[in-house]
Amino acid sequence: MYDVKGNLHRVLATLPDSVRLVAISKFHPEEYVMAAYDEGQRVFGESHEQELKRKAEALPKDIEWHFIGHLQTNKVKYIAPFISMIEAVDSLKLLREIEKQAAKAGRVVDVLLELHIAEEATKYGLTLDDCRQLLADGEWRQMEHVRICGLMMMASNTDDEAQISSEFQTAADFFDEVKARYFADRPSFKERSWGMSNDYQLALSHRSTMVRVGTAIFGPRVY
Ligand SMILES: *Cc1c(COP(=O)(O)O)cnc(C)c1O
């Protein structure tokens, strides 16, 4: 097996205590998840609803699963009963559906709003203005089964470190803006989920609180 344990410890050694590691296990087999679990890792991220459901059923119940992919509204009902955090909320429509399904499941589901800052047109997420609009609209305040815990974003897939840094900084500044305007009295709004295998070191210097690292722990994905 790939040296999951060694890699996990190498990544953890570079993270300050205040930063949480979400180990991204998508496309990797259950025994890889268990290898990390046996070393104490409890937070894992998946991006496909069926794969997530299969793993959640088979693996220990104290794993906190984060959904990190683009989530279709018709899939929310399958994960609402157990998901720990939905990281990539990119529309009011999706937020409404999470509220509905979380209410049915009798839970409060933690979510992050996903920002689209990267240059790639292919990436999902809310533009800063869309996000401002969603928060200004205020419907989210009535949602008793959804707790908005912060922001998530992916930087451009490029070697240009200045570009990546500037995108992380834009996200960090935007976090301060919305924290002050909408969440000053809500301590649960505190997460800044940015940084992946190739850029999480850079993300740390732009105040990331949560890094989503897959390849650097589990190796290349076989699709
Ligand atoms: C796959 C994925 C990751 C992890 O990417 P690595 O480069 O393997 O670390 C992080 N975030 C999101 C949203 C992803 O889809």
Side-chain angles (χ1 to χ4, degrees), residues 163-183:
Q163 171 75 24
I164 297 170
S165 277
S166 120
E167 292 174 4
F168 287 149
Q169 192 54 43
T170 297
D173 291 343
F174 188 74
F175 177 93
D176 291 341
E177 176 190 321
V178 297
K179 174 77 184 168
R181 193 169 296 171
Y182 299 104
F183 299 99

Side-chain angles (χ1 to χ4, degrees), residues 48-62:
H48 291 92
E49 164 268 318
Q50 287 191 345
E51 182 181 358
L52 168 60
K53 209 156 177 290
R54 177 169 52 75
K55 285 178 177 165
E57 276 164 15
L59 292 166
K61 298 301 169 237
D62 62 340

